[in-house]
Amino acid sequence: AVHLQALELAAPQQRLPELIENALLNRGVAAGCPIRILDLGSGPLTSVGSVSDHYQVEVVPVDPLADHYRSLLQKHHLAAPVLPQQGEAERLDCLFEPQSFDVVWARNSLDHAYDPVMCIYQAYRVLKTGGTMIIVFHPNEADHGNYQGLHNWNFDIRNDAFVIESRRH
């Protein structure tokens, strides 16, 4: 199943996001099951909590700037519950075996990619059969930011279709 939702700003939580918990419950994943979640483009600290009343959760954060984030955290003597792993979404096949995750979570990250379609393909590759991919985004973020900084792509839902576009594609 694919879930697409416009991003609502919220502070990172320690609990498993309700969107993930509900997706697992709706899929009929049995209570007590271990769940492995890939947080794609996690940033320095994952926003995916691991506390759940229903599941044993392992979160694996991955970010292309992970080495820099770890250095900054270390420099400022800050601890993180889970440190991100260095990696690009376009190259998940170099990091993980196929069908490694129950859930792939990409929150405000795929619009930073150089090839978001490849990111989605790679995410499906590491997703278990019947797994859930959740893409959370600000609609048309590249337009709003005039294609400055990391925002290279617009994501939107138009006429029930998921749209990915840039200035040229």
Side-chain angles (χ1 to χ4, degrees), residues 114-135:
Y114 53 86
D115 186 346
V117 174
M118 178 57 77
C119 295
I120 293 168
Y121 171 80
Q122 288 287 334
Y124 269 113
R125 186 189 158 283
V126 300
L127 193 62
K128 290 180 182 176
T129 301
T132 300
M133 180 186 301
I134 300 174
I135 301 172

Side-chain angles (χ1 to χ4, degrees), residues 142-158:
D143 281 345
H144 296 301
N146 199 26
Y147 292 85
Q148 300 296 312
L150 294 175
H151 299 285
N152 300 309
W153 298 89
N154 285 318
F155 284 37
D156 201 1
I157 299 173
R158 298 183 199 141

Side-chain angles (χ1 to χ4, degrees), residues 58-166:
E58 175 192 3
V59 178
V60 179
V62 172
D63 196 284
L65 299 174
D67 290 345
H68 297 289
Y69 293 145
R70 282 196 307 273
S71 294
L72 284 171
L73 291 169
Q74 190 174 46
K75 176 182 175 182
H76 295 284
H77 309 288
L78 298 171
V82 182
L83 291 172
Q85 179 176 338
Q86 180 76 31
E88 296 176 340
E90 293 90 347
R91 302 190 55 175
L92 292 175
D93 56 342
C94 297
L95 299 173
F96 305 108
E97 293 295 319
Q99 299 200 35
S100 296
F101 295 94
D102 301 282
V103 176
V104 172
W105 171 267
R107 180 177 183 237
N108 193 33
S109 60
L110 296 183
D111 61 320
H112 303 175
Y114 53 86
D115 186 346
V117 174
M118 178 57 77
C119 295
I120 293 168
Y121 171 80
Q122 288 287 334
Y124 269 113
R125 186 189 158 283
V126 300
L127 193 62
K128 290 180 182 176
T129 301
T132 300
M133 180 186 301
I134 300 174
I135 301 172
V136 183
F137 58 91
H138 292 287
N140 301 314
E141 185 68 12
D143 281 345
H144 296 301
N146 199 26
Y147 292 85
Q148 300 296 312
L150 294 175
H151 299 285
N152 300 309
W153 298 89
N154 285 318
F155 284 37
D156 201 1
I157 299 173
R158 298 183 199 141
N159 301 319
D160 294 325
F162 180 44
V163 177
I164 301 172
E165 65 183 3
S166 70

Side-chain angles (χ1 to χ4, degrees), residues 15-92:
R15 290 197 63 79
L16 184 65
E18 189 175 329
L19 189 59
I20 295 175
E21 189 115 24
N22 289 342
L24 293 166
L25 291 169
N26 290 338
R27 258 185 33 222
V29 178
C33 282
I35 300 298
R36 195 163 184 232
I37 300 171
L38 174 61
D39 182 0
L40 203 49
S42 65
L45 302 170
T46 181
S47 64
V48 179
S50 59
V51 176
S52 169
D53 296 332
H54 299 97
Y55 304 105
Q56 302 167 26
V57 179
E58 175 192 3
V59 178
V60 179
V62 172
D63 196 284
L65 299 174
D67 290 345
H68 297 289
Y69 293 145
R70 282 196 307 273
S71 294
L72 284 171
L73 291 169
Q74 190 174 46
K75 176 182 175 182
H76 295 284
H77 309 288
L78 298 171
V82 182
L83 291 172
Q85 179 176 338
Q86 180 76 31
E88 296 176 340
E90 293 90 347
R91 302 190 55 175
L92 292 175

